[in-house]
Amino acid sequence: MHLRCFHVCWALLTVHVLAAEKPDLLGRDSQDEKAWSLPTLIPDPELRMPLQRAFETSAQNGHLIRDTRDKTLVQVFLQLDHPPADLAFDVSLRSGNHSWRVGPMAWKKGDTNWWAYDLDLPETVAQVDIVFTPSARAGMLLSRFPVWPVKGLTSAWSGDAIVVPKVGIRTQDISMMGKRPPGEEEAREHLMDALPPDGETARQVAAGMSLDDIRKQLEAQAAGPDEASEAGFALGSVMLAQGRLDEAMATLVKSPGDAGLQERVQCQLRYICSLWLDGAGKNSLSDMFSLGRAYEEGHGVGQDLQQAKYWYRKAANAGHLESKARLAGMPPLLQNPDEARNKTFADYRKQAAEWHMTSSTGYQDWVKRYARERFQSLRVNGDAAELKLIVTQVGGEVVGQLDQEARLSETLQVFELFADGKCQSYYQSSMGTKGRGGNPCPPEKLARLNKLIATLPEDHGALPPANRRLLIETGTQTVHHSHVYDRANAPPEICELMRLLYISTYVPSFPAKGSIHVGGFEHDGALAVSPQSEILYTGRKDQLQWWDPATHEFLAETKVDHVKSIVFAPDKTHALVQSSNDTVLMDLLERKPVQTFKDLSRARFTQDGKHLLLFGKNASLKILEARNWSPVDHADGVPGNCSSFIPAPSIHRGIVRDADGSVSLWDTVANRAVKRLGAKSDVTMIAVFSPDESQVALCMSPSPSESDRDNPVGIYQTETGTLVRELEVNGTGLQSLLWVPDGAYLIAANGSAGEAGISVFNTATGRCRGQLSGPVQFNGMSLVKQSGELVVGDQYGRIWFWHLHSVLAMLREFEASLTTAER
């Protein structure tokens, strides 16, 4: 289904909900009576229930989202699929006795469209009713202007308001939408919506009085001894309608009044900021400065010094003197980075103490609590059947709680294998049971499970720490056995069984020590740390940004479309910025593009930096000389018929993907394959060499098929190509791999929404030993050598930071505790 998303002009928004239609301000001198006339409202009671269901589905498919930083900002996105009639509504949100107007929405019969609005709601409002009130005026407004999708709306459904109750507002990093400047008549319409309909100023506007005359009259009232709050609000609103945005902001900010008036003031301030955002996106330096000032002072938008500095810096980089002065007077974003690191390390120490906490419950008592008395279970049809295997993962355990309280927090993830080879699984908590199944276990999987069941290792009667316990029961109806294993330190056979059943191992989790929000959601994106120790990141639409990792300050940006990866040149002054279609050569010192290579989306420099290798989806390898970017026939050490080539940093080795998809370790001096590593790979294969270049971590298929969810990562010797060990990175797709400086651990980022994770693997054992929590839907990670910080970018416009030395210290403590337990 093809969907269009329309970001609707804020010019029609206000928190004031009208009891009746506004007067038709624009009908007086119309040159196009049909476009400006009010559509006829036609009652049709039979359509009411289909529309009610359609709008309830719309509320489920659309969303109401509150920003995590600008905490009153809520975005409303609503879609209607193939409406059964022409529709026009004035939409509002309602909580208790309070209402907030969203704005007009309209649809032509059969058309699928989105409407999107920004508005401000109190932080305490967690759910609302969405109220759709039929409105001829809404239909007239949205069919009149050419930027909106509703054309020729001459009639619309009428009836009592449709209410979708109790729609939750979720929280997410979002960005305010920019609004184009309104035309003169649009501005007057917005002014009419903002003003109280029974006030003198609204009557003057409706009568066609000049806005200059109205403004002068209001200026006199606001300057008088009996200054009225409504007069100040009306004056600021008129200035806004005239496009005098800075004056309007200053006037509205000073308008006192009750809570209702302040809501209307905030609506106008937000609208002013959205106009500045639109202008700033079109490179208006004055709008960049004004928007930066709004973020610095918290007027219209939530106070956010990160965003303030971003807009000041953009304007300052283009020569705006006042922005430079503002930047010079602002305090640094990070007051004491060392103090933050020390606090993070202390938090990890506290967490480490929790890992060492042991259960106060004895082994036999615990097993008795969770093991089955009768070794059978109910199938989906309700029949009892004999079991062969039960695997129970217990979570939510809290040592020291009373039994009744513990039951409320505990969760059970259960896999059951019946004696006839069928299996089922379910999740059980205090809220009930979800899952089941009853399908035959695949033959290969069943055969492997039978072998593992027959040779279960001893558990030595030791009870692992809480929330790491895995109970495995085997046998028959008359005799069955129980074993308890530590999910953090299970024997190899149990690890294999866990992989077969998609049971995760237990690892400690490390939250980020901090993050910065630099933009909105972008499906594509990349992050890398340059040789100049600057973060390159795509966190704002079609912009490649430079950030200072030490101060978290924005430095510069340049336009680059749909970035997917960044590769640095050996000369340390250039980078290859790659999209899904093209590659842009970037000058890192000047922070600007040098040249674009069309339809060549993957690129590498040769090890000596003398040549640039360009690969495309349907194009053969192209080789350019780096000194003048002219094409040549070949480069020493590079195979001619390859679809990808990843050279080692300094030794004479590389990873080559041939045109047929096979992968080999390549000798760049002898210009030959050392060893074939695999027969099949994706063009997106990932290969990273260890710090001493003695090993290479290779994932040949970062995005596995639906039938194979594993992403095997092999570690190979670079001298011979021998496989040292294999890591199992489970998920829907691997984004990147990174060796830590001493080569003892490998960091892997994988997964998409809902299944994302950053895992830390011990390269000597191949086991996952830690998880970095926080970001989802990654688009890159890198290491800042000077500070030892790990930097990760996500697709929600956020850059995350970990103090890697602290993380690795805690990992080693955790691994030492497992060794002590074994002894």
Side-chain angles (χ1 to χ4, degrees), residues 203-339:
R203 286 193 288 269
Q204 291 172 340
V205 175
M209 185 174 176
S210 162
L211 293 185
D212 274 333
D213 293 339
I214 296 174
R215 177 175 53 81
K216 292 174 183 177
Q217 177 181 296
L218 289 170
E219 284 175 341
Q221 293 178 21
D226 299 325
E227 179 185 343
S229 299
E230 285 289 349
F233 173 76
L235 175 59
S237 299
V238 170
M239 290 174 171
L240 170 54
Q242 292 183 301
R244 303 162 69 134
L245 302 185
D246 288 286
E247 293 176 80
M249 173 70 79
T251 302
L252 289 166
V253 165
K254 296 176 183 177
S255 299
D258 58 17
L261 178 60
Q262 288 307 306
E263 283 185 349
R264 288 189 285 144
V265 166
Q266 173 58 25
C267 178
Q268 297 289 71
L269 296 180
R270 175 77 67 182
Y271 177 38
I272 292 171
C273 291
S274 69
L275 293 173
W276 281 332
L277 180 59
D278 178 78
K282 297 172 181 175
N283 298 321
S284 166
L285 301 187
S286 61
D287 286 341
M288 291 179 193
F289 172 76
S290 296
L291 187 58
R293 189 180 57 193
Y295 275 112
E296 182 183 4
E297 298 171 352
H299 294 156
V301 291
Q303 188 176 42
D304 189 333
L305 297 185
Q306 187 82 61
Q307 290 291 324
K309 286 198 169 189
Y310 171 81
W311 291 110
Y312 284 152
R313 175 60 65 189
K314 274 182 66 72
N317 287 350
H320 193 265
L321 296 179
E322 197 168 357
S323 293
K324 293 181 180 180
R326 283 275 185 169
L327 276 174
M330 291 184 70
L333 294 174
L334 292 183
Q335 298 292 339
N336 190 343
D338 290 333
E339 181 180 338

Side-chain angles (χ1 to χ4, degrees), residues 386-400:
E386 186 175 347
L387 290 167
K388 180 187 292 187
L389 170 70
I390 309 172
V391 181
T392 304
Q393 177 184 329
V394 182
E397 292 183 273
V398 180
V399 177

Side-chain angles (χ1 to χ4, degrees), residues 637 652-653 666-673:
H652 300 300
R653 288 290 185 269
W666 191 261
D667 186 324
T668 59
V669 173
N671 203 30
R672 64 174 181 81

Side-chain angles (χ1 to χ4, degrees), residues 17-74:
V17 181
L18 303 180
E21 295 288 344
K22 289 277 188 178
D24 184 3
L25 175 67
L26 302 176
R28 293 174 286 101
D29 300 315
S30 173
Q31 298 176 358
D32 185 349
E33 293 295 337
K34 183 177 180 181
W36 288 30
S37 61
L38 292 171
T40 304
L41 294 178
I42 302 175
D44 188 346
E46 293 184 0
L47 282 179
R48 180 171 184 79
M49 287 309 297
L51 287 175
Q52 179 75 40
R53 290 192 293 269
F55 279 114
E56 288 175 352
T57 301
S58 171
Q60 295 171 2
N61 294 338
H63 48 244
L64 278 65
I65 302 177
R66 184 184 299 278
D67 190 23
T68 56
R69 298 159 297 117
D70 192 353
K71 295 186 182 297
T72 65
L73 172 63
V74 172

